[in-house]
Amino acid sequence: EAQVTQNPRYLITVTGKKLTVTCSQNMNHEYMSWYRQDPGLGLRQIYYSMNVEVTDKGDVPEGYKVSRKEKRNFPLILESPSPNQTSLYFCASSLYQGAVEQYFGPGTRLTVT
Amino acid sequence: RKEVEQDPGPFNVPEGATVAFNCTYSNSASQSFFWYRQDCRKEPKLLMSVYSSGNEDGRFTAQLNRASQYISLLIRDSKLSDSATYLCVVISLGVGYGGSQGNLIFGKGTKLSVKP
């Protein structure tokens, strides 16, 4: 089944404790991205990657890191999480940047206390 | 100025009603337009693309007016299962349009609630 998976789905952590949210797609997509969704602010792009070893900042990259060492994986790293990073995070992939359809993962709900 | 703006909603309508959502975008260089649907606490999913000539998929009709930089989504004969948030999405090619060229820009969404 073609899909984007994210782990964990739910996470409660404390300020400053490094965490990684994994994202994996099995569709051989070149383009992957991370979004956060907050009430009243909609979906905002954090980082994106057009291919292996190619990553770039989206609209709200501060406090986040990513890597793209393999085509299928695009982990999101929070080196020192803060409460303002409490949010719902979605990973997405598509055949290429600007493709008609982006496939989203199920989301990761992160709470930083 | 917001890049993609939608009706704030929520829209509360009875089953069988016709409902229309509007969306405006600020960058005239925008190239592609979509409507996504997002159920509560779930991931967004593509509902339909929007073409200049307008397009229809069953009870759903999407329209694009490039001159007015305006997109619409019409839902006829609403069903309970149509209850969701509808996201207007634009892909733009141009400098300084948030993120980078070719990335999706999402509106904040309009919530629809269809009641029996």
Side-chain angles (χ1 to χ4, degrees):
Chain A
E1 179 189 357
Q3 61 182 351
V4 179
T5 56
Q6 293 179 229
N7 282 292
R9 294 288 313 281
Y10 303 91
L11 180 61
I12 300 173
T13 189
V14 296
T15 299
K17 186 176 181 182
K18 180 179 178 180
L19 67 92
T20 299
V21 184
T22 64
C23 173
S24 183
Q25 51 93 5
N26 62 0
M27 295 170 278
N28 202 36
H29 285 170
E30 290 188 350
Y31 184 82
M32 297 186 75
S33 59
W34 276 102
Y35 297 87
R36 61 178 289 175
Q37 188 173 36
D38 303 288
L41 295 177
L43 276 158
R44 294 178 294 168
Q45 191 179 53
I46 303 170
Y47 267 95
Y48 64 96
S49 169
M50 287 193 281
N51 214 323
V52 176
E53 302 292 3
V54 180
T55 64
D56 211 342
K57 296 178 181 178
D59 296 317
V60 289
E62 294 77 22
Y64 305 95
K65 289 173 62 176
V66 292
S67 68
R68 188 92 182 273
K69 296 176 182 173
E70 307 164 282
K71 199 170 189 179
R72 64 183 293 127
N73 296 323
F74 191 45
L76 179 70
I77 304 156
L78 285 72
E79 294 272 2
S80 182
S82 61
N84 65 11
Q85 293 179 297
T86 293
S87 187
L88 178 59
Y89 291 87
F90 288 104
C91 179
S93 74
S94 60
L95 272 173
Y96 52 86
Q97 188 182 35
V100 170
E101 185 165 8
Q102 285 218 354
Y103 295 81
F104 283 82
T108 295
R109 188 166 291 280
L110 173 65
T111 302
V112 183
T113 62
Chain B
R1 182 180 177 186
K2 297 289 191 296
E3 294 155 348
V4 179
E5 293 200 66
Q6 296 186 235
D7 285 349
F11 284 59
N12 298 305
V13 303
E15 266 187 295
T18 296
V19 60
F21 303 139
N22 303 316
C23 171
T24 58
Y25 58 95
S26 60
N27 189 338
S28 59
S30 298
Q31 296 289 319
S32 304
F33 311 89
F34 312 95
W35 285 100
Y36 273 69
R37 170 192 168 130
Q38 185 175 22
D39 294 301
C40 187
R41 298 197 181 100
K42 297 287 185 76
E43 71 272 25
K45 292 183 179 178
L46 178 66
L47 178 65
M48 59 196 303
S49 302
V50 187
Y51 305 116
S52 295
S53 55
N55 48 304
E56 189 173 310
D57 183 3
R59 297 180 294 107
F60 298 82
T61 301
Q63 297 275 355
L64 166 65
N65 184 322
R66 285 190 183 273
S68 301
Q69 295 180 200
Y70 171 96
I71 306 158
S72 66
L73 176 68
L74 183 76
I75 305 175
R76 292 181 298 279
D77 188 23
S78 319
K79 311 292 184 191
L80 297 177
S81 58
D82 293 334
S83 296
T85 296
Y86 291 83
L87 306 172
C88 176
V89 184
V90 172
I91 294 179
S92 288
L93 300 178
V95 174
Y97 197 72
S100 181
Q101 298 184 26
N103 287 338
L104 274 64
I105 309 295
F106 286 83
K108 293 179 182 178
T110 302
K111 186 174 181 179
L112 171 66
S113 180
V114 181
K115 306 291 187 185

